[in-house]
Amino acid sequence: LGLLKVIKIIKEKYDSNVVLLNIGFGPDTQLYDHFVKQNNLTENVHFLGKLKNEDVIRVIKMCDCFLLTSYNVVFDLVVLEALACGIPVFVSNNGGNKEIIQDGFNGYLIPEHDEDFIANAVMSFDRTRVRTNARRSVQQYSLKAMISNYEKIYEEVIGKH
């Protein structure tokens, strides 16, 4: 519910007509929908359900920023997709996110349980600088670069046996 609480704070504290587009569906979607209705956020939060990847990219490109407050993160490809779209990202400060995001440079690392901090960060970030750096930073994760890195890892592992 943390992300929905962030939207509520932005709407109330900053008097903003913020809109959250939630893509996907999971076991907690019904709980989230109940929270949205209970807190008068139906104009601010839209559940888009499951979308094809090309539709996900189209939606991301329309957004001002991308928020992912998940706290069990290994390495989310959707973060790379948002960066490639030039969208400033706000992601939890753990797991693979720390490998991808340089806080304040190509995105923002956020504490996943501090809704006030996240709301303030979203309302005050430097859009221009981060957008430019986002696109540049994702180049190191191209298919060619990733294959090369995996080959090096495998060669190291095989060489040690």
Side-chain angles (χ1 to χ4, degrees), residues 1 7 17 19 21 25 40-41 44-45 48 50 53 61 67 70 105 114 117 120 123 132 140 152 160-161:
L1 291 174
I7 299 305
N17 193 22
V19 174
L21 302 174
F25 185 84
N40 299 317
L41 296 172
N44 306 91
V45 178
L48 303 181
K50 196 171 186 176
N53 187 260
K61 286 181 177 181
L67 283 93
S70 304
F105 177 75
D114 190 341
F117 179 92
N120 183 55
M123 294 304 293
T132 302
Q140 67 181 315
K152 287 177 188 173
K160 292 181 180 179
H161 281 67

Side-chain angles (χ1 to χ4, degrees), residues 83-84 86-88 105-106 129-138:
L83 289 171
I87 304 301
F105 177 75
N106 65 336
R129 180 176 56 114
V130 175
R131 278 185 186 270
T132 302
N133 295 333
R135 283 192 181 103
R136 288 183 189 145
S137 69
V138 79

